[in-house]
Amino acid sequence: MESHPSYKALSEVLPKYPQSAGSCFQTFNDITLAQQWTDVEVIDLPVISRCAFRGRRPKMDPLLYVVPCSLAESLSVSWFNEAFEKLGKPDQVYLAINTPDSSIVYYKLTPGIVKPPV
């Protein structure tokens, strides 16, 4: 991982959070290389023991937030609340769920409980 060109952008946060380092590294590479997001910033979130990312999708103006995690992790409502709080209470956050086969599924999360349209 250290020899990969994108490691430099993550070198300050990955050693701090070894349990989430793989998910963070994989998500960063997906949004910057595959999806070609711009203005990507790494955000250190010690309260949830990982980093998050802020950036823009191609041809999109609003800033988006992504929090990586592993499929094997157990997350709680309080964990999500802490993430929203420390990210400055955005309207939505994407949870990047990483699997052992390197797949990533993104779920859009919003604060509170929202009834889906019928």
Side-chain angles (χ1 to χ4, degrees), residues 74-97:
S74 294
L75 307 176
S76 66
V77 172
S78 63
W79 186 93
F80 291 116
N81 287 337
E82 289 289 344
F84 270 95
E85 183 73 29
K86 296 303 177 187
L87 290 171
K89 299 182 181 178
D91 293 336
Q92 62 188 22
V93 170
Y94 287 91
L95 185 65
I97 303 171

Side-chain angles (χ1 to χ4, degrees), residues 62-111:
L63 280 171
L64 301 174
Y65 294 86
V66 178
V67 178
C69 72
S70 166
L71 181 62
E73 287 184 81
S74 294
L75 307 176
S76 66
V77 172
S78 63
W79 186 93
F80 291 116
N81 287 337
E82 289 289 344
F84 270 95
E85 183 73 29
K86 296 303 177 187
L87 290 171
K89 299 182 181 178
D91 293 336
Q92 62 188 22
V93 170
Y94 287 91
L95 185 65
I97 303 171
N98 293 255
T99 64
D101 71 353
S102 299
S103 299
I104 302 177
V105 176
Y106 292 90
Y107 280 93
K108 182 169 63 170
L109 304 175
T110 57

Side-chain angles (χ1 to χ4, degrees), residues 9-105:
L10 302 168
S11 63
E12 290 185 26
V13 291
L14 293 185
K16 287 172 135 178
Y17 312 114
Q19 290 184 335
S20 63
S23 298
C24 291
F25 186 73
Q26 187 174 337
T27 300
F28 180 80
N29 286 321
D30 184 58
I31 64 174
T32 58
L33 302 175
Q35 296 186 41
Q36 299 182 343
W37 282 30
T38 58
D39 305 323
V40 176
E41 297 175 49
V42 179
I43 304 167
D44 189 2
L45 296 175
V47 70
I48 60 168
S49 302
R50 72 196 64 237
C51 67
F53 307 106
R54 176 176 46 221
R56 291 182 169 85
R57 281 191 249 177
K59 301 178 186 174
M60 300 276 296
D61 191 39
L63 280 171
L64 301 174
Y65 294 86
V66 178
V67 178
C69 72
S70 166
L71 181 62
E73 287 184 81
S74 294
L75 307 176
S76 66
V77 172
S78 63
W79 186 93
F80 291 116
N81 287 337
E82 289 289 344
F84 270 95
E85 183 73 29
K86 296 303 177 187
L87 290 171
K89 299 182 181 178
D91 293 336
Q92 62 188 22
V93 170
Y94 287 91
L95 185 65
I97 303 171
N98 293 255
T99 64
D101 71 353
S102 299
S103 299
I104 302 177
V105 176

